[in-house]
Amino acid sequence: MASSTDRSTEPSVSDAVGDPVEPRWLDEDQQRSWRQYLEGTARFVEALGHDHDVHSAVSLGEYELLVRLSESPGRSVRMSVLADGLAQSRSRVTHTVHRMERRGLVRRTADADDRRGVHCVMTQQGYDLLVASAPAHVAAVRRLMVDVLTPEQLRVLGESMAAISEVCKHDHVL
Amino acid sequence: MASSTDRSTEPSVSDAVGDPVEPRWLDEDQQRSWRQYLEGTARFVEALGHDHDVHSAVSLGEYELLVRLSESPGRSVRMSVLADGLAQSRSRVTHTVHRMERRGLVRRTADADDRRGVHCVMTQQGYDLLVASAPAHVAAVRRLMVDVLTPEQLRVLGESMAAISEVCKHDHVL
DNA sequence: TCAAGCTCGTTGAAGATTCAACTTCATGCG
DNA sequence: CGCATGAAGTTGAATCTTCAACGAGCTTGA
C-alpha cells in the first residue's frame, strides 16, 4: 500500500481470475484529481465557514437554510423538503431548526393537510439577518471560488458535481 | 432576497455609488454552478462516508490519515504535518489520533530532534486495516466520482479545486 | 374496517468537531 | 545571556452531528 486511492500497478490481493474481486485501482491522473478535490473541498469549506464566523451571525449551514426559506412562498418550507434540499438528515434539520428557533430566526407551524407535517417559517428577524449576511457571503464565495476559476472551469465544475449528485442520490438508497 | 448567493439584478442595499459597498451578485450561471457544487459535495461526502460505515472499520477521515502514514517512510508522520496535509486543525488530529490509538491502529512517539514534536506511527494492525479497507474505498470513489465523469471533466475538477485550495490556504491566514 | 407498513418529525445519548486556554519547547534579537 | 515571540500539541468544555428508537399519522389492500 503506498497511495490513497491507490495505484494501478497494485498487486492483486485475491489473485482471483474474475473481476469483481480485483479492484481497479486509480491511475496517476485519477489519483491526483481525486486528492485535489478532497483537499480543495476541505480547505474551501473550512475557509468559507471561517468567513461566516467572522462576518456573519449565522453559520454556512444556517445561512443555506435561511436562503431556502427566503425562496419559498410564505417563507415557509416543510421540514422534510428542507432536509432533502439541503442534503441533510431529518434529525440534523430538526436540531438546527430548534437552535435557530431559540434565536428567533424561524418558527415552526403545523401543516394543515398532513398532520404529520411541520413547516419551518422564517421570521422577520431571520430575514433581516439573511439580508445583512448576504453581501459578505457572496463576497467570500467569489473570492474563494467563483473569481478563482474561469467561466469554463466553473461551468464544468458545476456540471460534474451535478452528475455526481445524481449518482449519489440513487446510491444512497442502496 | 430571492436566491442563495443571489441574483445579479438584486436592488442595491446601500445605494452607494462606490464599489466596495455594493456587492457583485452572482449571475445565473455562476449561481447554478455554485449550488451544484454545494449540493453535489454534500451528497458525495455523505455517500462515501456511508460506504465506509458499511464496508470498512474506519471512517473516511481515519482512512485518509492511515493513507498518509502508509506513504511516509517508517509509516510515521509528525502531528503538524498530518494536520497540514489533511487540512484539519491540530486539535482535530489530536483527538482523532487519540481515538485511533485506543483502537491500536497507531502509536505516538516523541521526536528526537524537536522535543515539542510528536510522531504518529501506524501499527501493523493499522496497516492491515488499511489494506483491508482499500478495495471498497477505491470502488466507492470510482462508482461515485471517477467513473461518473469523463477524464476531461475529472481533470478540470482537479485543477479547479487545486486553484481554490491555494487561494483558501492564503485566505485562511487573514 | 383493520392491520401492516410506510412517511414525518422528534428525542436523547453517543460520538465527533471546534474553540480558547494552556504547557512546553524553539528561535530570534538586543 | 535573557526576554519576547511564536510554534507544537494537548486538554476540556461547548457545540454540532449522527444514530437508533420512538410516537404519530397516512396509505394500502385483504
Side-chain angles (χ1 to χ4, degrees):
Chain A
M1 182 69 37
S3 36
S4 144
T5 320
D6 319 67
R7 51 173 58 157
S8 50
T9 56
E10 195 75 14
S12 166
V13 171
S14 64
D15 265 10
V17 184
D19 282 332
V21 205
E22 168 61 24
R24 289 152 52 233
W25 304 102
L26 301 184
D27 68 31
E28 204 180 319
D29 289 346
Q30 292 170 330
Q31 171 104 231
R32 181 171 356 94
S33 297
W34 157 240
R35 291 207 178 191
Q36 283 169 334
Y37 170 78
L38 211 54
E39 177 179 343
T41 290
R43 290 201 197 280
F44 174 74
V45 172
E46 155 74 19
L48 187 57
H50 185 258
D51 196 271
H52 270 261
D53 288 348
V54 172
H55 296 300
S56 168
V58 280
S59 69
L60 176 57
E62 292 168 334
Y63 181 88
E64 292 296 326
L65 198 151
L66 288 178
V67 167
R68 301 298 173 129
L69 294 177
S70 79
E71 290 170 340
S72 198
R75 293 176 187 170
S76 169
V77 179
R78 258 187 86 149
M79 296 294 282
S80 54
V81 175
L82 274 178
D84 291 351
L86 297 171
Q88 293 182 357
S89 71
R90 289 159 197 277
S91 177
R92 181 171 174 182
V93 172
T94 293
H95 285 301
T96 302
V97 165
H98 179 71
R99 289 190 293 265
M100 294 175 76
E101 197 170 26
R102 271 197 322 225
R103 295 207 274 149
L105 303 177
V106 299
R107 272 195 327 275
R108 272 186 278 206
T109 66
D111 184 312
D113 302 328
D114 185 341
R115 291 199 296 169
R116 297 168 302 178
V118 173
H119 282 261
C120 179
V121 189
M122 184 165 52
T123 63
Q124 184 62 38
Q125 193 182 338
Y127 182 80
D128 292 344
L129 184 49
L130 177 59
V131 170
S133 305
H137 172 80
V138 180
V141 171
R142 276 199 174 278
R143 178 165 38 86
L144 301 173
M145 174 173 283
V146 172
D147 286 351
V148 172
L149 305 178
T150 66
E152 173 69 6
Q153 282 179 316
L154 185 60
R155 188 180 60 73
V156 173
L157 178 68
E159 288 173 1
S160 300
M161 294 315 297
I164 288 168
S165 188
E166 281 309 306
V167 172
C168 290
K169 233 184 274 187
H170 304 140
D171 191 88
H172 187 282
V173 182
L174 308 182
Chain B
M1 184 70 36
S3 35
S4 145
T5 320
D6 318 59
R7 51 175 56 160
S8 51
T9 55
E10 195 75 12
S12 167
V13 171
S14 63
D15 266 8
V17 184
D19 282 330
V21 205
E22 169 60 25
R24 289 153 52 231
W25 305 102
L26 301 183
D27 68 31
E28 203 181 319
D29 289 346
Q30 293 170 329
Q31 171 103 232
R32 181 168 0 93
S33 297
W34 157 240
R35 292 207 178 191
Q36 285 168 333
Y37 170 78
L38 212 54
E39 177 178 344
T41 291
R43 291 200 196 281
F44 174 74
V45 172
E46 156 74 17
L48 187 55
H50 182 67
D51 197 271
H52 269 262
D53 288 348
V54 172
H55 296 301
S56 168
V58 281
S59 70
L60 176 58
E62 293 167 334
Y63 181 88
E64 292 296 326
L65 198 150
L66 288 179
V67 167
R68 300 299 172 128
L69 294 177
S70 79
E71 291 170 341
S72 199
R75 293 176 186 167
S76 169
V77 179
R78 259 186 84 149
M79 297 294 283
S80 54
V81 175
L82 275 177
D84 291 350
L86 297 171
Q88 294 183 356
S89 71
R90 293 165 195 281
S91 176
R92 181 170 171 182
V93 173
T94 294
H95 286 301
T96 301
V97 165
H98 177 72
R99 288 189 294 267
M100 294 176 75
E101 195 169 26
R102 272 197 321 225
R103 296 207 274 148
L105 304 177
V106 300
R107 273 194 326 276
R108 272 188 276 207
T109 65
D111 184 313
D113 303 328
D114 186 340
R115 289 199 298 170
R116 297 169 301 182
V118 173
H119 281 262
C120 179
V121 188
M122 185 165 51
T123 63
Q124 182 62 36
Q125 193 182 336
Y127 181 79
D128 293 344
L129 184 49
L130 176 59
V131 169
S133 304
H137 172 79
V138 180
V141 171
R142 276 199 174 278
R143 177 167 37 87
L144 300 173
M145 174 173 283
V146 172
D147 287 350
V148 172
L149 305 179
T150 67
E152 173 69 5
Q153 282 179 316
L154 184 60
R155 188 181 60 73
V156 173
L157 177 67
E159 286 173 1
S160 300
M161 293 315 296
I164 288 168
S165 188
E166 281 310 306
V167 172
C168 291
K169 233 184 275 187
H170 304 139
D171 190 89
H172 188 282
V173 182
L174 307 182

